[in-house]
Amino acid sequence: MSECSAPFQEEDTQVVPGTHPVPRPPRRSAPCALWGARAPGSGARTPPLSAASCGLPVWAGRPGPRGSPRTRIGGPAMAAPEETLRRRKAGNSGPEPDTPPESGRDPTGCPARLRTGTFWLTRIVLLRALAFIYFVAFLVALHQNKQLIGDRGLLPCRAYLESVRRYFQGRGGWEAVSYAPTVLWLLDWSRMNANLDALALLGLGVSSFVLVTGCANMVLMATLWVLYMSLVNVGQIWYSFGWESQLLETGFLGIFLCPLWTLSRLPTGTPPSQIVLWGFRWLIFRIMLGAGLIKIRGDQCWRDLTCMDFHYETQPVPNPMAYLLHQSPWWAHRFETLSNHFLELVVPFFIFLGRRLCILHGALQILFQVVLVISGNLSFLNWLTMVPSVACFDDAALGFLFPSGPGGLKDRVRKMQEEAARGTRPTLRYGCMVRQAVHVALGILVAWLSVPVVLNLLSPAQVMNTSFNSLRIVNTYGAFGSITKERTEVILQGTASPNASAPDAVWEDYGFKCKPGDLGRRPCLISPYHYRLDWLMWFAAFQTYEHNEWIIHLAGKLLANDREALSLLAFNPFKDRAPPRWVRGEHYRYKFSRLGGRHAAAGKWWVRKRIGPYFPPLSLRDLEGYFRSRDWPLPELE
């Protein structure tokens, strides 16, 4: 297919004498609202046909002499009888015999259908879906980056960049930039909060434009990709999740889905490239197959079909539906696990088995992600995974999403398809040839960068969520390779007592935005939004505080009632009071209350049991040397 013309299928057209070429009705379609037409050589009229019968093959007239063929309504042989019929109805206001069919309809009056094999509408849906994910990601960055990686954040990105520069000192600045590519290298580090806000706000503005208008070009999509890559590469542990790399890879492909400068939803000179569309399909294939293989290789419970007995309760941030699904009978959990294996290990291969199975793959994967969205708060991971699945649908499959009125997008695409079917193709311009060369180069680049990814998929020592280059163009993915069988939580507590070890010291719990804490608080529903601190607290509960120094930094900020840090929490027991004198971390085991049990009857969603201390009671004086050794600013009392 030419990069500068719309694809078409010649076998789907027919030429009726005296008219323009029109789409051939499907073999099982029938003309609508025709009656009284005389078959050649026959004096009988055809029975009346209702509009509801459109879509079934109808043969007109009674059989002629033995051996003579019957005549099919709508074929070329019926052109003369139709003209005769028009002459008999001269008083009607219908079109003249040589008048082209009404726009958007076939000659029989049925709404015209879009042809298969073009992807104009697919591009619009893809770009808007990708812009929505970008919008959510930049919104999360705007609300949380200053507290996490800002000037006084838990892991300041300025300190990180300085450590990278020191590491590569003497080997040239380019090595430091290539290790952590970000536009922050070019900005003033003394105003890091303003820099982070500027990147997030610019990303919000560009993604909002694409989302609302459905228009994009390579410049806008490249801007979004560079802005988000700049945040990911300084985000450290807060941006270490697989969906960050997945968004960058998806966004990189989105750059080449668009024309260079033109801002139009239907840039007629630059149809969507098949190479780019296959890039999206290759991405969703690797995402799903990688997730399926890592499960089979990673945890015995995926092989004996028992993982779903634990998943809903032990996932990072459960939602209310997870509480209900956890109570399902054992056979329902076995069915869920088998369905998961089918969707991740078998369905991905449908992509390569023709149009119908490719569409089936896209529909099943989107439905699967919708179920996952309903069953848990996995950030924008599942929403993002739907995006490359859209590339499995062509215009004919997505036409139902667009209105059918004249002059609309759907009607304009149909006209473009008809022009292509008539052989009306624009002249191959120099820009089109350059675009073709760029897409070929992109295909070669993706194929080359996919080599280590494929080797990882085939390896029995498969790793998940790994990038093999700092630009994160092609990555390896996977989710829940192992399932935790018990849920543990770190609960931060503070006391105003001067003696932390006194028996009468009253310890009060801090409450997080979404992670479990208060036993009576209903699990939250926030997807596709994401609370990065809550998610990292789930990981911290599996390890010790020595592996998560940021949690000690957070404790120090709580000791000072730091406003920025407290904005990451939902409840501060020392609000409008003097800050606590001591803060500690306690380790608890959490379980869902049993539906209909006494704890649920008392309004409790959770039941917990203390395991022991996570870190001992700390005061500001205890932390002064700890902060200085890590170049962290000392908390200031509010």
Side-chain angles (χ1 to χ4, degrees), residues 93 153 185 192 230 271 275 321 345 357 383 392 422 477 544 555 607:
S93 58
W185 288 110
M192 197 59 78
S230 297
I275 294 176
M321 185 58 68
L345 294 171
L357 286 180
W383 301 77
C392 296
R422 289 195 295 268
Y477 303 102
T544 65
V607 179

Side-chain angles (χ1 to χ4, degrees), residues 2 69 147 170 216 218 265 339 448 507 529 596:
S2 171
Q147 301 91 317
M218 295 183 74
R265 288 179 291 180
S339 301
W448 172 256
W507 292 91
Y529 197 77

Side-chain angles (χ1 to χ4, degrees), residues 95 99-107 109 112 406 414 418:
T99 302
E102 180 185 355
S103 174
R105 294 183 176 272
D106 65 17
R414 183 192 58 78
E418 289 182 354

Side-chain angles (χ1 to χ4, degrees), residues 58-76:
V58 178
W59 298 88
R62 296 176 181 175
R66 179 170 299 194
S68 63
R70 293 179 295 177
T71 305
R72 182 176 177 179
I73 294 179

